[in-house]
C-alpha cells in the first residue's frame, strides 16, 4: 500500500527515538476522494490505534493507516531528501483525490478516475474542473466543465489538445474522442 523509502525510514527512526516507546507514525488523508484531499503524517502513540486501523511494519516502527484513508493511499510513497537548503519529507499519494479503480472496471469508472486523479488537479490551478457525463456506444466521452473552465477562451485547446489526447492515449480502442456539452458563458468566474 505505502512505500517508505530507506531515507524516510531512517528519518522517522530518529524522530521516533525521542518519543515514548511504541509510538509509530500515522499516515492519513483528510477529505479523501475529493478535489481538496490532503495527505499527512503524524505521531501515533500506542493508545490512539483503533481496532480497524491497518498496521504496516517498517524498520523499527509501524505505520498506522485508518480504514477510511487506506484505499486512497494505494501506491503512496513517502521519501526524505537532504538538500542544500535543508531537508524535505514528501508524501506522494496519486490516489488521494480519487480511489483507484480496477483495470477491468467499467470504462466510465476508469475514465472518471483519470479525470479526478490527473486532469482535475491541473484544471484546479485555473479554478476549473470537468466531469464525465456519459460515454457513448461509439466511444465518445461526453464532458461537462465548471468553475474557471466555463467561458475560458482556451477551452477548445484544453478539450482537443489536452483531455481528448490524454484519454485516447490511455484508452486506445475504447475512447474515440471527447465532446464538451457545457454552455460556456463568459463571466467573473472564467479563467482568461
Amino acid at each position: 500500500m505505502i512505500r517508505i523509502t530507506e531515507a524516510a525510514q531512517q528519518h522517522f527512526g530518529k524522530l521516533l527515538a525521542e518519543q515514548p516507546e511504541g509510538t509509530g507514525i500515522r499516515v492519513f488523508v483528510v477529505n479523501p476522494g475529493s478535489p481538496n484531499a490532503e495527505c499527512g503524517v503524524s505521531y501515533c502513540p500506542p493508545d490512539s490505534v483503533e481496532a480497524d486501523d491497518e498496521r504496516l511494519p517498517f524498520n523499527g516502527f509501524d505505520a498506522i493507516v485508518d480504514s477510511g484513508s487506506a484505499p486512497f493511499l494505494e501506491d503512496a510513497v513517502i521519501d526524505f531528501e537532504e538538500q542544500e537548503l535543508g531537508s524535505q519529507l514528501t508524501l506522494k499519494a496519486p490516489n488521494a483525490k480519487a480511489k483507484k479503480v480496477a483495470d477491468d472496471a467499467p470504462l466510465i469508472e476508469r475514465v472518471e478516475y483519470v479525470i479526478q486523479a490527473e486532469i482535475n488537479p491541473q484544471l484546479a490551478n485555473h479554478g476549473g474542473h470537468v466531469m464525465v457525463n456519459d460515454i457513448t456506444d461509439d466511444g465518445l466521452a461526453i464532458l461537462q466543465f465548471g468553475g474557471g473552465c466555463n467561458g475560458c477562451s482556451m477551452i477548445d485547446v484544453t478539450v482537443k489538445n489536452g483531455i481528448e489526447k490524454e484519454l485516447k492515449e490511455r484508452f486506445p480502442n475504447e475512447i474515440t474522442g471527447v465532446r464538451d456539452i457545457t454552455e460556456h458563458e463568459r463571466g467573473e468566474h472564467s479563467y482568461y
Side-chain angles (χ1 to χ4, degrees), residues 2 16 56 64 75 82 89 95 98 107 137-138 165:
I2 299 172
L16 292 168
L56 307 171
I64 312 299
D75 301 326
E82 296 279 354
L89 184 69
N95 300 305
L107 179 60
D137 291 340
D138 59 349
K165 182 179 174 193

Side-chain angles (χ1 to χ4, degrees), residues 57-136:
F58 285 95
N59 189 10
F61 66 93
D62 288 344
I64 312 299
V65 178
D66 65 273
S67 59
S69 295
F72 300 94
L73 289 169
E74 196 69 38
D75 301 326
V77 177
I78 300 175
D79 193 14
F80 182 74
E81 296 177 8
E82 296 279 354
Q83 301 170 339
E84 286 182 32
L85 300 173
S87 53
Q88 182 177 8
L89 184 69
T90 59
L91 195 165
K92 294 179 182 163
N95 300 305
K97 294 182 187 313
K99 187 164 58 170
K100 190 171 184 178
V101 296
D103 292 340
D104 62 350
L107 179 60
I108 194 162
E109 289 179 24
R110 291 181 283 133
V111 170
E112 184 67 30
Y113 171 76
V114 170
I115 296 280
Q116 295 303 327
E118 298 176 28
I119 295 172
N120 272 340
Q122 296 172 40
L123 296 178
N125 293 333
H126 304 276
H129 62 273
V130 65
M131 61 178 251
V132 181
N133 189 287
D134 191 18
I135 297 180
T136 65

Side-chain angles (χ1 to χ4, degrees), residues 23-41:
T23 301
I25 63 165
R26 180 171 290 282
V27 185
F28 58 91
V29 181
V30 177
N31 300 317
S34 71
N36 55 348
E38 294 282 331
C39 299
V41 178

